mmCIF file of all heavy atoms in Angstrom:
data_model
loop_
_atom_site.group_PDB
_atom_site.id
_atom_site.type_symbol
_atom_site.label_atom_id
_atom_site.label_comp_id
_atom_site.label_asym_id
_atom_site.label_seq_id
_atom_site.Cartn_x
_atom_site.Cartn_y
_atom_site.Cartn_z
ATOM 1 N N MET M 36 0.862 -1.187 0.000
ATOM 2 C CA MET M 36 0.000 0.000 0.000
ATOM 3 C C MET M 36 0.891 1.228 0.000
ATOM 4 O O MET M 36 1.717 1.404 0.893
ATOM 5 C CB MET M 36 -0.900 -0.008 1.242
ATOM 6 C CG MET M 36 -1.854 -1.190 1.322
ATOM 7 S SD MET M 36 -2.553 -1.417 2.997
ATOM 8 C CE MET M 36 -1.171 -2.232 3.846
ATOM 9 N N HIS M 37 0.742 2.080 -1.013
ATOM 10 C CA HIS M 37 1.591 3.257 -1.180
ATOM 11 C C HIS M 37 0.804 4.497 -0.745
ATOM 12 O O HIS M 37 -0.264 4.777 -1.285
ATOM 13 C CB HIS M 37 2.038 3.393 -2.627
ATOM 14 C CG HIS M 37 2.886 2.247 -3.097
ATOM 15 N ND1 HIS M 37 4.154 2.411 -3.588
ATOM 16 C CD2 HIS M 37 2.653 0.905 -3.136
ATOM 17 C CE1 HIS M 37 4.670 1.233 -3.915
ATOM 18 N NE2 HIS M 37 3.766 0.301 -3.651
ATOM 19 N N MET M 38 1.373 5.231 0.222
ATOM 20 C CA MET M 38 0.704 6.384 0.803
ATOM 21 C C MET M 38 1.445 7.673 0.458
ATOM 22 O O MET M 38 2.670 7.762 0.623
ATOM 23 C CB MET M 38 0.673 6.270 2.335
ATOM 24 C CG MET M 38 0.093 4.988 2.864
ATOM 25 S SD MET M 38 -1.701 5.000 2.752
ATOM 26 C CE MET M 38 -2.038 3.316 3.277
ATOM 27 N N ALA M 39 0.715 8.670 -0.001
ATOM 28 C CA ALA M 39 1.255 10.022 -0.136
ATOM 29 C C ALA M 39 0.837 10.796 1.109
ATOM 30 O O ALA M 39 -0.348 10.825 1.460
ATOM 31 C CB ALA M 39 0.721 10.697 -1.392
ATOM 32 N N VAL M 40 1.810 11.397 1.780
ATOM 33 C CA VAL M 40 1.526 12.105 3.027
ATOM 34 C C VAL M 40 1.953 13.569 2.890
ATOM 35 O O VAL M 40 3.060 13.853 2.404
ATOM 36 C CB VAL M 40 2.256 11.466 4.232
ATOM 37 C CG1 VAL M 40 1.782 12.109 5.534
ATOM 38 C CG2 VAL M 40 2.015 9.962 4.264
ATOM 39 N N HIS M 41 1.073 14.470 3.307
ATOM 40 C CA HIS M 41 1.355 15.899 3.254
ATOM 41 C C HIS M 41 1.098 16.509 4.627
ATOM 42 O O HIS M 41 0.064 16.214 5.255
ATOM 43 C CB HIS M 41 0.485 16.595 2.212
ATOM 44 C CG HIS M 41 0.740 16.140 0.810
ATOM 45 N ND1 HIS M 41 0.168 14.999 0.273
ATOM 46 C CD2 HIS M 41 1.533 16.658 -0.167
ATOM 47 C CE1 HIS M 41 0.587 14.842 -0.969
ATOM 48 N NE2 HIS M 41 1.411 15.827 -1.262
ATOM 49 N N VAL M 42 2.027 17.333 5.068
ATOM 50 C CA VAL M 42 1.888 18.030 6.346
ATOM 51 C C VAL M 42 1.736 19.519 6.057
ATOM 52 O O VAL M 42 2.551 20.103 5.327
ATOM 53 C CB VAL M 42 3.102 17.796 7.259
ATOM 54 C CG1 VAL M 42 2.886 18.479 8.617
ATOM 55 C CG2 VAL M 42 3.372 16.308 7.437
ATOM 56 N N ARG M 43 0.714 20.110 6.629
ATOM 57 C CA ARG M 43 0.494 21.553 6.511
ATOM 58 C C ARG M 43 0.391 22.142 7.910
ATOM 59 O O ARG M 43 -0.044 21.464 8.845
ATOM 60 C CB ARG M 43 -0.778 21.850 5.706
ATOM 61 C CG ARG M 43 -0.660 21.454 4.243
ATOM 62 C CD ARG M 43 -1.951 21.692 3.472
ATOM 63 N NE ARG M 43 -1.756 21.477 2.035
ATOM 64 C CZ ARG M 43 -1.739 20.290 1.442
ATOM 65 N NH1 ARG M 43 -1.945 19.197 2.183
ATOM 66 N NH2 ARG M 43 -1.537 20.186 0.157
ATOM 67 N N ALA M 44 0.769 23.394 8.040
ATOM 68 C CA ALA M 44 0.729 24.030 9.359
ATOM 69 C C ALA M 44 0.573 25.543 9.203
ATOM 70 O O ALA M 44 0.873 26.112 8.157
ATOM 71 C CB ALA M 44 1.996 23.706 10.151
ATOM 72 N N GLY M 45 0.127 26.162 10.279
ATOM 73 C CA GLY M 45 -0.041 27.615 10.292
ATOM 74 C C GLY M 45 -0.802 28.046 11.516
ATOM 75 O O GLY M 45 -1.019 27.268 12.454
ATOM 76 N N SER M 46 -1.237 29.277 11.510
ATOM 77 C CA SER M 46 -1.943 29.840 12.649
ATOM 78 C C SER M 46 -3.283 29.148 12.869
ATOM 79 O O SER M 46 -4.045 28.925 11.921
ATOM 80 C CB SER M 46 -2.173 31.343 12.429
ATOM 81 O OG SER M 46 -3.042 31.863 13.412
ATOM 82 N N ALA M 47 -3.561 28.820 14.128
ATOM 83 C CA ALA M 47 -4.849 28.214 14.462
ATOM 84 C C ALA M 47 -6.001 29.197 14.242
ATOM 85 O O ALA M 47 -7.158 28.784 14.137
ATOM 86 C CB ALA M 47 -4.832 27.727 15.909
ATOM 87 N N ARG M 48 -5.677 30.468 14.141
ATOM 88 C CA ARG M 48 -6.712 31.485 13.900
ATOM 89 C C ARG M 48 -7.116 31.523 12.436
ATOM 90 O O ARG M 48 -8.171 32.086 12.101
ATOM 91 C CB ARG M 48 -6.195 32.857 14.334
ATOM 92 C CG ARG M 48 -5.866 32.941 15.829
ATOM 93 C CD ARG M 48 -5.306 34.302 16.184
ATOM 94 N NE ARG M 48 -6.266 35.366 15.908
ATOM 95 C CZ ARG M 48 -5.990 36.668 16.067
ATOM 96 N NH1 ARG M 48 -4.771 37.036 16.474
ATOM 97 N NH2 ARG M 48 -6.900 37.589 15.815
ATOM 98 N N ARG M 49 -6.266 30.939 11.569
ATOM 99 C CA ARG M 49 -6.567 30.948 10.130
ATOM 100 C C ARG M 49 -6.416 29.528 9.577
ATOM 101 O O ARG M 49 -5.513 29.253 8.773
ATOM 102 C CB ARG M 49 -5.640 31.927 9.408
ATOM 103 C CG ARG M 49 -5.816 33.380 9.859
ATOM 104 C CD ARG M 49 -4.939 34.333 9.065
ATOM 105 N NE ARG M 49 -3.517 34.055 9.286
ATOM 106 C CZ ARG M 49 -2.834 34.521 10.322
ATOM 107 N NH1 ARG M 49 -3.433 35.274 11.236
ATOM 108 N NH2 ARG M 49 -1.546 34.245 10.451
ATOM 109 N N PRO M 50 -7.264 28.616 9.996
ATOM 110 C CA PRO M 50 -7.116 27.206 9.593
ATOM 111 C C PRO M 50 -7.257 26.969 8.100
ATOM 112 O O PRO M 50 -6.814 25.931 7.598
ATOM 113 C CB PRO M 50 -8.226 26.505 10.374
ATOM 114 C CG PRO M 50 -9.214 27.578 10.695
ATOM 115 C CD PRO M 50 -8.422 28.820 10.886
ATOM 116 N N SER M 51 -7.844 27.893 7.366
ATOM 117 C CA SER M 51 -7.990 27.725 5.918
ATOM 118 C C SER M 51 -6.744 28.157 5.162
ATOM 119 O O SER M 51 -6.680 28.010 3.935
ATOM 120 C CB SER M 51 -9.196 28.531 5.419
ATOM 121 O OG SER M 51 -8.993 29.922 5.631
ATOM 122 N N GLU M 52 -5.734 28.683 5.879
ATOM 123 C CA GLU M 52 -4.530 29.203 5.224
ATOM 124 C C GLU M 52 -3.281 28.408 5.607
ATOM 125 O O GLU M 52 -2.170 28.939 5.575
ATOM 126 C CB GLU M 52 -4.336 30.677 5.584
ATOM 127 C CG GLU M 52 -5.500 31.561 5.153
ATOM 128 C CD GLU M 52 -5.331 33.002 5.596
ATOM 129 O OE1 GLU M 52 -4.219 33.341 6.067
ATOM 130 O OE2 GLU M 52 -6.289 33.780 5.482
ATOM 131 N N LEU M 53 -3.455 27.142 5.948
ATOM 132 C CA LEU M 53 -2.295 26.330 6.314
ATOM 133 C C LEU M 53 -1.371 26.150 5.110
ATOM 134 O O LEU M 53 -1.823 25.975 3.988
ATOM 135 C CB LEU M 53 -2.751 24.964 6.830
ATOM 136 C CG LEU M 53 -3.694 24.970 8.038
ATOM 137 C CD1 LEU M 53 -3.984 23.543 8.486
ATOM 138 C CD2 LEU M 53 -3.116 25.793 9.182
ATOM 139 N N GLU M 54 -0.049 26.185 5.366
ATOM 140 C CA GLU M 54 0.941 26.064 4.306
ATOM 141 C C GLU M 54 1.614 24.698 4.353
ATOM 142 O O GLU M 54 1.822 24.129 5.422
ATOM 143 C CB GLU M 54 2.004 27.161 4.442
ATOM 144 C CG GLU M 54 1.462 28.572 4.283
ATOM 145 C CD GLU M 54 2.568 29.601 4.402
ATOM 146 O OE1 GLU M 54 3.752 29.211 4.391
ATOM 147 O OE2 GLU M 54 2.249 30.801 4.513
ATOM 148 N N LEU M 55 1.977 24.185 3.172
ATOM 149 C CA LEU M 55 2.660 22.905 3.083
ATOM 150 C C LEU M 55 4.037 22.998 3.729
ATOM 151 O O LEU M 55 4.822 23.888 3.416
ATOM 152 C CB LEU M 55 2.795 22.486 1.620
ATOM 153 C CG LEU M 55 3.436 21.120 1.357
ATOM 154 C CD1 LEU M 55 2.532 20.003 1.857
ATOM 155 C CD2 LEU M 55 3.718 20.943 -0.129
ATOM 156 N N THR M 56 4.330 22.071 4.645
ATOM 157 C CA THR M 56 5.632 22.059 5.318
ATOM 158 C C THR M 56 6.465 20.844 4.956
ATOM 159 O O THR M 56 7.689 20.921 4.868
ATOM 160 C CB THR M 56 5.467 22.079 6.847
ATOM 161 O OG1 THR M 56 4.974 20.801 7.306
ATOM 162 C CG2 THR M 56 4.519 23.184 7.284
ATOM 163 N N THR M 57 5.819 19.697 4.729
ATOM 164 C CA THR M 57 6.554 18.444 4.542
ATOM 165 C C THR M 57 5.769 17.511 3.636
ATOM 166 O O THR M 57 4.536 17.449 3.729
ATOM 167 C CB THR M 57 6.784 17.738 5.896
ATOM 168 O OG1 THR M 57 7.157 18.692 6.879
ATOM 169 C CG2 THR M 57 7.864 16.672 5.781
ATOM 170 N N THR M 58 6.492 16.782 2.777
ATOM 171 C CA THR M 58 5.872 15.748 1.953
ATOM 172 C C THR M 58 6.636 14.442 2.129
ATOM 173 O O THR M 58 7.816 14.442 2.467
ATOM 174 C CB THR M 58 5.883 16.138 0.455
ATOM 175 O OG1 THR M 58 7.230 16.418 0.054
ATOM 176 C CG2 THR M 58 5.023 17.365 0.208
ATOM 177 N N CYS M 59 5.961 13.329 1.888
ATOM 178 C CA CYS M 59 6.577 12.018 2.081
ATOM 179 C C CYS M 59 5.806 10.970 1.292
ATOM 180 O O CYS M 59 4.598 11.118 1.058
ATOM 181 C CB CYS M 59 6.570 11.649 3.570
ATOM 182 S SG CYS M 59 7.130 9.971 3.959
ATOM 183 N N MET M 60 6.512 9.915 0.889
ATOM 184 C CA MET M 60 5.873 8.719 0.354
ATOM 185 C C MET M 60 6.210 7.559 1.275
ATOM 186 O O MET M 60 7.378 7.359 1.626
ATOM 187 C CB MET M 60 6.372 8.411 -1.055
ATOM 188 C CG MET M 60 5.928 9.409 -2.115
ATOM 189 S SD MET M 60 4.139 9.458 -2.378
ATOM 190 C CE MET M 60 3.843 7.791 -2.958
ATOM 191 N N SER M 61 5.207 6.798 1.688
ATOM 192 C CA SER M 61 5.412 5.652 2.562
ATOM 193 C C SER M 61 4.767 4.414 1.952
ATOM 194 O O SER M 61 3.742 4.515 1.266
ATOM 195 C CB SER M 61 4.805 5.903 3.948
ATOM 196 O OG SER M 61 5.475 6.958 4.613
#
């Protein structure tokens, strides 16, 4: 099973504006 994983983060006050921080394939 091949998984694409994306991590986004940002201000909790603006949850719709999270920015990509990390990508990975597992």
Side-chain angles (χ1 to χ4, degrees):
M36 298 164 281
H37 297 238
M38 307 283 174
V40 188
H41 296 83
V42 183
R43 293 177 172 80
S46 170
R48 298 178 61 184
R49 297 183 296 277
S51 63
E52 300 176 10
L53 302 184
E54 297 181 11
L55 183 67
T56 72
T57 318
T58 56
C59 173
M60 291 296 297
S61 295

